[in-house]
Amino acid sequence: MNPRQVADYMFNQDYFSQWMNIKMIEVKENYCLIEMPIKKDMINGLKTVHGGVTFAFADSALAFSSNNTGDAAVALNCIINFTKAGKEGDVFRAESVLVNDTRKTAVYDIQITNQNQELIAKFVGTVYKIGKKVTDL
């Protein structure tokens, strides 16, 4: 399978990403660009996007980019910095780029922006390569 087919295979089993209405914009080896509309049920008590939603969106980008070669990888460590509050009606984009790759781990930089290309959050994810194929899990 090519990277897009692997990402689509994963997405078809990922009911949480489906609930978030994630759309795959671009998928290449160790890279993805995804998009998500901000819905009312993603808003917290301060009328901004819940931080857990933003984190989960970035985590989905990490999953689709770090597994799309067909070799399974799981999150080992993730750090997020929130830079701007999102609001209902926004459209978030997450771009995940491989920055370091070793035999057992890889590091990805993920930027989340809104429809105005304003930075919402910066996420760094480290994954552990588990030695199995995505389609075997």
Side-chain angles (χ1 to χ4, degrees), residues 74-108:
V74 295
L76 186 61
N77 184 55
C78 299
I79 300 168
I80 192 166
N81 287 294
F82 300 100
T83 56
K84 182 175 178 62
K87 59 186 182 314
E88 184 180 352
D90 280 350
V91 177
F92 281 8
R93 277 193 163 202
E95 183 177 38
S96 179
V97 178
L98 175 68
V99 294
N100 184 268
D101 193 20
T102 71
R103 187 174 57 80
K104 292 303 282 180
T105 65
V107 178
Y108 289 80

Side-chain angles (χ1 to χ4, degrees), residues 42-99:
M42 296 174 168
I43 302 301
N44 65 22
L46 299 177
K47 299 179 185 171
T48 61
V49 177
H50 192 287
V53 170
T54 304
F55 188 99
F57 181 52
D59 187 49
S60 288
L62 177 65
F64 297 133
S65 59
S66 67
N67 285 280
N68 71 29
T69 63
D71 296 317
V74 295
L76 186 61
N77 184 55
C78 299
I79 300 168
I80 192 166
N81 287 294
F82 300 100
T83 56
K84 182 175 178 62
K87 59 186 182 314
E88 184 180 352
D90 280 350
V91 177
F92 281 8
R93 277 193 163 202
E95 183 177 38
S96 179
V97 178
L98 175 68
V99 294

